[in-house]
Amino acid sequence: MVQKNKIVFTAILCLFFIVIGGQMQAQKSSKKTTQKVVIDTAKNKAVAVDTIKPRLKLKLFKTKAHASYYHNKFNGKRTSSGIRFSNDKYTAAHRKLPFGTKLKVTNEENGKWVIVVVIDRGPFSRGREIDLSRRAFMEIASNKNSGTLTVKLEIIEN
């Protein structure tokens, strides 16, 4: 019991010094970092994990665009870029954007968003701007039974 109390006390003490040291370091540096402290129960140690959240550079491409999603019959087939399509990935088809373009697609109804990569050409239905993979579509859809959404498209610049 005494041994267990020593380990717990040591873990709390380490945690205290990590938090205090992180606060002092955050005041010195000009970068915005957040510090997470995780207690590793297997080793009885407090471990500090620094994470830096980079901001995305977004360029507005289009608002009030109509989005739809791929049918399951396209799973496994090659796209225009040569990549095999999968409805389980975060991909999209657009008529004009270059292959490999990363887009932030935001549902204008509920504010949910997803990041997709353009790998195909389409959609070929008049009035539709983008085709999303089923996974990407369902993640941002508020009504899972609908086939189209009104979305905002933003290009992610590196």
Side-chain angles (χ1 to χ4, degrees):
M1 186 69 173
V2 174
Q3 181 70 19
K4 190 174 184 180
N5 287 344
K6 283 183 180 179
I7 292 172
V8 170
F9 177 75
T10 306
I12 292 171
L13 193 60
C14 289
L15 179 66
F16 174 77
F17 284 117
I18 289 171
V19 170
I20 295 299
Q23 288 175 353
M24 291 173 61
Q25 185 180 12
Q27 290 173 354
K28 290 179 183 177
S29 71
S30 60
K31 293 181 182 177
K32 291 185 179 180
T33 60
T34 57
Q35 188 171 44
K36 292 183 181 179
V37 178
V38 179
I39 296 177
D40 187 357
T41 55
K43 297 179 182 177
N44 290 323
K45 289 185 179 179
V47 181
V49 181
D50 288 331
T51 57
I52 299 173
K53 295 182 180 180
R55 300 221 176 229
L56 296 176
K57 293 183 182 178
L58 301 173
K59 178 183 172 186
L60 182 63
F61 183 72
K62 188 167 186 179
T63 58
K64 297 182 182 177
H66 292 283
S68 57
Y69 64 92
Y70 278 89
H71 192 275
N72 281 333
K73 70 180 180 181
F74 295 109
N75 265 337
K77 295 192 177 181
R78 291 215 183 264
T79 61
S80 299
S81 65
I83 299 171
R84 288 200 182 274
F85 175 73
S86 172
N87 255 333
D88 294 328
K89 295 182 180 175
Y90 294 97
T91 57
H94 194 273
R95 288 189 201 102
K96 296 178 182 175
L97 289 173
F99 296 135
T101 302
K102 291 182 182 178
L103 295 171
K104 179 182 175 188
V105 182
T106 307
N107 184 346
E108 292 185 344
E109 232 179 74
N110 60 16
K112 291 183 181 179
W113 57 271
V114 69
I115 294 176
V116 296
V117 179
V118 176
I119 63 164
D120 202 6
R121 292 290 168 232
F124 298 109
S125 298
R126 195 175 271 186
R128 303 253 172 91
E129 184 72 26
I130 191 167
D131 264 341
L132 300 172
S133 63
R134 187 176 181 91
R135 183 175 194 171
F137 185 90
M138 291 301 170
E139 194 165 306
I140 63 173
S142 53
N143 181 2
K144 305 296 183 197
N145 294 324
S146 68
T148 62
L149 293 173
T150 303
V151 296
K152 175 172 68 172
L153 302 175
E154 296 171 287
I155 297 174
I156 298 174
E157 298 175 336
N158 292 340

